[in-house]
């Protein structure tokens, strides 16, 4: 009865423009049939709603809410046959309505994402047909509400079910391919979830996710000025420390591109980046690819530190941005927002900085130098932590010492505030097993001992406790023979200079004490160190 007389009845109501009767028919089909307690009635209701939609034709768009809701309710039916009929009914409703269903896209997507993981193969097959139809409609339309969809996508992307993950990635790939949809703007919302899916056990899903991430990275390289680098920096820091090699390598490749494309915008995140990158420098050949990319990240990040970082007025740097800065303010003061803080520096894995993810700030990429804060305290804390960690590899220790040397060269005034705390571990590092580590360590110590930033007002040696950066100039000796062999920048420094940097004396006294207390060090490395 439903399949034969119902369409004729509905068409008559349409011809008469009798909307109240049409709504009444749909209501009966919904309440008394589709939502009935009896399975056969529910099946009849679903068939009836689909037939009603077909009879309505283009006018079905006026009644979509009433048509769709009872069908979606049947998606949760305990009977797999009913779930299949619900898929079939919704397919016919959507096929007739086409673009008119887009205002209801979120509820359709929500229902489909659940059916994608349905245990019944017939239901899954039916949902895939409906899914393809919906994708075709979205692809050919310019009415898609991306803003309204993102919260649902962000929630569903954390599903652990393989089929649901496959469903999510397939939709991301479709949305990426539509020219009128700019998914890149919302990448910070879903990037973490994408990296989670990249660790899936299914090779097919991992490959799909790799493709999606690759497309995003291509888009980032093409349009760096519109990328929200700062909002994604901490996400990458987390996944650069992943135990899964594919996740770690992919995140490290993204980090490399971010540092090179965004430049100094990445500086506030330096301590987190170093926490992730430094351990990778000691990887063996089994993780050669990760090691090589990490090395590029490390070198590129080091180049971002400039002498001007030593001169910036820190009082100005601590100003707080309003919650929604203008683009001009974003460019001039990105460092002040809480999203501009790096992950807490620590040895081991960093934890995700939720504040940084929840406060969107766009940092336009520009050839002009962007004034950002160099969080020197955080960087030194990470470097110090790695030097104290006896389990780290030789290449990591060398990289740490290169960083310290670089910072003493580029930002000596600020670095000397940390010298008293760094000095003991630098002295202990002279006992390292590697000659190369000792040489780098001596370079740092020589730079400390000969830097004008380490001069004190007093004369002669001191214990270094009252050392302050000051403007005192060195007295250059007249004869070349008096030049000290310490360091590359402080060659003018001589033990006979009245305003000699006190760290030279502090170093020599401590070195002699170590030789006295550690005879093995004196015997095995004494000549090497002194030379």
């Amino acid at each position: 009865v439903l399949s034969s007389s119902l369409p004729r009845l509905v068409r008559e109501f349409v011809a008469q423009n009798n909307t109240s009767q049409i709504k009444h028919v749909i209501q009966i089909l919904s309440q008394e049939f589709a939502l009935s307690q009896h399975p056969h009635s529910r099946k009849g209701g679903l068939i009836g709603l689909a037939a009603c939609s077909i009879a309505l034709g283009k006018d079905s768009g006026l009644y979509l809410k009433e048509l769709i809701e009872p069908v979606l309710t049947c998606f949760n039916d305990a009977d797999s046959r009913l779930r299949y009929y619900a898929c079939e009914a919704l397919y016919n409703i959507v096929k007739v309505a086409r673009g008119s269903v887009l205002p209801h896209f979120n509820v359709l997507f929500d229902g489909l994402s659940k059916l994608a993981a349905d245990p019944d193969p017939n239901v899954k097959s039916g949902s895939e047909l409906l899914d393809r139809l919906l994708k075709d409609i979205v692809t050919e339309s310019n009415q898609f509400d991306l803003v309204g969809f993102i919260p649902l996508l962000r929630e569903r992307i954390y599903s652990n079910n393989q089929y649901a993950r496959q469903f999510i990635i397939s939709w991301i790939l479709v949305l990426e391919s539509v020219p009128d949809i700019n998914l890149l703007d919302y990448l910070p919302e879903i990037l973490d979830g994408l990296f989670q899916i990249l660790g899936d056990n299914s090779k097919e899903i991992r490959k799909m996710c790799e493709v999606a991430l690759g497309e995003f990275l291509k888009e980032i390289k093409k349009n760096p000025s519109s990328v929200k680098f700062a909002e994604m920096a901490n996400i990458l820091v987390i996944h650069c420390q992943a135990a899964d090699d594919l996740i770690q390598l992919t995140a490290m490749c993204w980090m490399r591109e971010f540092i090179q494309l965004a430049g100094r915008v990445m500086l506030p995140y330096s301590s987190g980046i170093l926490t992730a990158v430094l351990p990778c420098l000691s990887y063996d050949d089994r993780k050669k690819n990760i090691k090589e990319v990490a090395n590029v990240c490390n070198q590129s990040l080091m180049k971002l530190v400039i002498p001007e970082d030593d001169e910036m007025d820190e009082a100005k740097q601590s100003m707080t941005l309003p919650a929604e800065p203008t683009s001009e303010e974003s460019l001039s003061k990105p460092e002040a927002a809480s999203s501009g803080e790096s992950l807490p520096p620590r040895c081991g894995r960093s934890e995700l900085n939720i504040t940084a993810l929840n406060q969107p700030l766009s940092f336009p990429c520009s050839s002009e130098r962007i004034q950002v804060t160099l969080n020197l305290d955080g960087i030194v804390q990470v470097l110090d932590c790695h030097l104290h960690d006896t389990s780290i590899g030789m290449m990591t220790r060398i990289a740490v010492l290169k960083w310290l040397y670089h910072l003493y060269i580029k930002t000596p005034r600020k670095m000397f505030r940390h010298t008293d705390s760094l000095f003991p571990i630098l002295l202990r590092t002279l006992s390292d097993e590697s000659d190369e580590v000792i040489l780098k360590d001596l370079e740092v110590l020589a730079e400390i001992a000969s830097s004008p930033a380490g001069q004190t007002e007093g004369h002669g040696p001191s214990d270094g406790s009252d050392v302050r950066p000051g403007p005192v100039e060195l007295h250059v000796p007249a004869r070349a023979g008096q030049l000290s062999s310490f360091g590359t920048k402080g060659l003018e420094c001589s033990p006979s200079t009245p305003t000699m940097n006190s760290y030279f004396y502090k170093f020599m006294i401590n070195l002699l004490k170590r030789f006295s207390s550690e005879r093995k060090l004196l015997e095995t490395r004494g000549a090497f160190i002194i030379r």
Side-chain angles (χ1 to χ4, degrees):
V1 174
L2 280 170
S3 57
S4 58
S5 60
L6 180 65
R8 178 174 49 79
L9 186 65
V10 171
R11 279 195 290 269
E12 286 176 9
F13 289 148
V14 170
Q16 298 163 11
N17 199 24
N18 193 339
T19 56
S20 61
Q21 281 299 324
I22 294 170
K23 284 185 176 180
H24 184 59
V25 169
I26 295 172
Q27 186 180 15
I28 290 172
L29 289 169
S30 299
Q31 299 300 322
E32 297 183 21
F33 287 91
L35 302 177
S36 166
Q37 295 297 314
H38 304 289
H40 291 297
S41 296
R42 292 202 296 277
K43 176 184 173 182
L46 289 167
I47 294 170
L49 287 167
C52 183
S53 175
I54 292 167
L56 284 167
K58 60 182 174 56
D59 288 339
S60 66
L62 302 170
Y63 310 96
L64 278 175
K65 187 174 186 292
E66 293 84 356
L67 288 165
I68 288 172
E69 283 183 355
V71 179
L72 287 174
T73 301
C74 291
F75 274 14
N76 299 316
D77 201 290
D79 188 338
S80 62
R81 289 171 301 177
L82 263 297
R83 296 199 300 277
Y84 176 79
Y85 287 128
C87 272
E88 193 175 54
L90 193 56
Y91 179 88
N92 287 314
I93 293 169
V94 171
K95 190 174 181 181
V96 172
R98 301 295 295 184
S100 300
V101 302
L102 287 177
H104 308 277
F105 178 82
N106 276 17
V107 290
L108 294 173
F109 182 90
D110 186 46
L112 274 173
S113 69
K114 292 168 184 171
L115 286 190
D118 198 283
D120 188 278
N122 291 324
V123 175
K124 201 180 295 177
S125 175
S127 73
E128 285 169 2
L129 282 172
L130 176 56
D131 181 48
R132 282 199 290 274
L133 174 62
L134 203 54
K135 281 170 180 166
D136 288 342
I137 292 169
V138 169
T139 303
E140 69 192 23
S141 170
N142 58 1
Q143 304 288 319
F144 185 71
D145 180 16
L146 185 61
V147 177
F149 173 57
I150 288 298
L152 181 60
L153 179 61
R154 185 179 59 219
E155 176 195 335
R156 288 283 181 267
I157 205 167
Y158 286 105
S159 170
N160 288 322
N161 182 279
Q162 286 191 348
Y163 296 108
R165 283 178 160 186
Q166 196 167 16
F167 173 77
I168 291 290
I169 292 293
S170 70
W171 267 101
I172 289 173
L173 286 167
V174 166
L175 294 176
E176 275 187 304
S177 68
V178 179
D180 293 334
I181 296 176
N182 186 12
L183 197 55
L184 187 62
D185 278 351
Y186 302 93
L187 183 56
E189 307 271 357
I190 61 172
L191 184 63
D192 179 58
L194 282 170
F195 273 106
Q196 303 267 8
I197 293 176
L198 191 60
D200 196 272
N201 293 327
S202 162
K203 285 183 180 178
E204 185 184 353
I205 293 172
R206 285 164 79 101
K207 188 64 186 172
M208 284 177 70
C209 195
E210 266 193 281
V211 171
L213 284 165
E215 289 300 314
F216 275 123
L217 195 55
K218 268 193 238 172
E219 198 66 28
I220 286 169
K221 289 178 184 178
K222 277 197 286 185
N223 305 291
S225 61
S226 61
V227 178
K228 298 168 182 173
F229 290 105
E231 291 181 44
M232 295 183 276
N234 279 339
I235 297 170
L236 294 184
V237 166
I238 291 297
H239 294 291
C240 280
Q241 300 171 81
D244 183 287
D245 286 358
L246 178 60
I247 295 176
Q248 189 178 28
L249 177 60
T250 307
M252 201 67 77
C253 288
W254 275 60
M255 184 67 81
R256 176 190 63 199
E257 299 301 329
F258 271 39
I259 295 170
Q260 291 176 354
L261 291 169
R264 286 177 60 82
V265 166
M266 299 297 285
L267 266 188
Y269 304 90
S270 298
S271 58
I273 295 170
L274 287 173
T275 299
V277 165
L278 287 171
C280 302
L281 303 178
S282 292
Y283 282 175
D284 57 26
D285 286 345
R286 286 172 296 179
K287 294 188 176 185
K288 186 181 177 184
N289 291 346
I290 298 171
K291 179 181 178 178
E292 288 174 351
V293 181
N295 190 48
V296 175
C297 289
N298 185 53
Q299 297 296 327
S300 300
L301 187 66
M302 196 180 285
K303 288 175 184 173
L304 297 181
V305 181
I306 54 175
E308 286 84 344
D309 288 316
D310 207 28
E311 299 160 9
M312 288 180 182
D313 182 2
E314 285 144 318
K316 291 177 184 175
Q317 303 294 331
S318 62
M319 291 165 62
T320 305
L321 279 181
E324 294 181 13
T326 64
S327 58
E328 191 174 338
E329 286 172 326
S330 296
L331 212 123
S332 62
K333 297 184 291 183
E335 71 282 0
S338 59
S339 66
E341 292 300 321
S342 176
L343 290 164
R346 60 198 297 182
C347 280
R349 302 190 191 286
S350 298
E351 295 170 358
L352 190 58
N353 187 332
I354 300 301
T355 309
L357 302 183
N358 291 340
Q359 295 194 14
L361 273 178
S362 177
F363 294 94
C365 198
S366 169
S367 57
E368 296 176 14
R369 182 168 290 154
I370 299 172
Q371 186 176 324
V372 292
T373 299
L374 174 68
N375 179 15
L376 198 62
D377 291 356
I379 294 172
V380 171
Q381 191 178 341
V382 170
L383 297 174
D384 184 50
C385 186
H386 279 81
L387 267 190
H388 276 88
D389 185 357
T390 54
S391 66
I392 64 167
M394 181 187 74
M395 296 310 295
T396 298
R397 296 199 299 280
I398 289 170
V400 168
L401 292 165
K402 283 182 177 178
W403 259 101
L404 288 171
Y405 181 77
H406 184 72
L407 292 172
Y408 271 110
I409 294 291
K410 298 293 182 183
T411 58
R413 286 175 59 254
K414 289 183 179 178
M415 274 302 291
F416 262 90
R417 299 169 196 170
H418 299 278
T419 301
D420 282 343
S421 61
L422 286 170
F423 214 70
I425 187 62
L426 290 172
L427 287 166
R428 283 205 296 278
T429 304
L430 291 172
S431 301
D432 198 274
E433 294 175 357
S434 162
D435 286 356
E436 198 174 344
V437 171
I438 293 173
L439 279 172
K440 290 296 170 192
D441 190 34
L442 285 169
E443 278 186 30
V444 178
L445 286 162
E447 181 57 34
I448 291 171
S450 62
S451 173
Q455 295 293 336
T456 60
E457 294 295 337
H459 294 260
S462 82
D463 62 2
S465 60
D466 60 346
V467 172
R468 297 283 186 275
V472 180
E473 295 183 7
L474 292 175
H475 300 286
V476 182
R479 298 192 305 279
Q482 288 181 301
L483 298 185
S484 166
S485 61
F486 272 90
T488 55
K489 282 188 66 187
L491 291 178
E492 311 85 11
C493 204
S494 160
S496 62
T497 305
T499 53
M500 179 61 199
N501 181 329
S502 63
Y503 280 100
F504 173 74
Y505 300 98
K506 188 175 181 181
F507 165 68
M508 291 304 294
I509 291 164
N510 277 279
L511 178 63
L512 292 171
K513 282 181 181 176
R514 288 185 76 81
F515 282 159
S516 178
S517 61
E518 297 179 38
R519 301 302 295 179
K520 190 178 178 185
L521 177 65
L522 175 62
E523 290 165 8
T524 57
R525 291 292 168 78
F528 175 72
I529 290 170
I530 292 168
R531 192 164 60 241

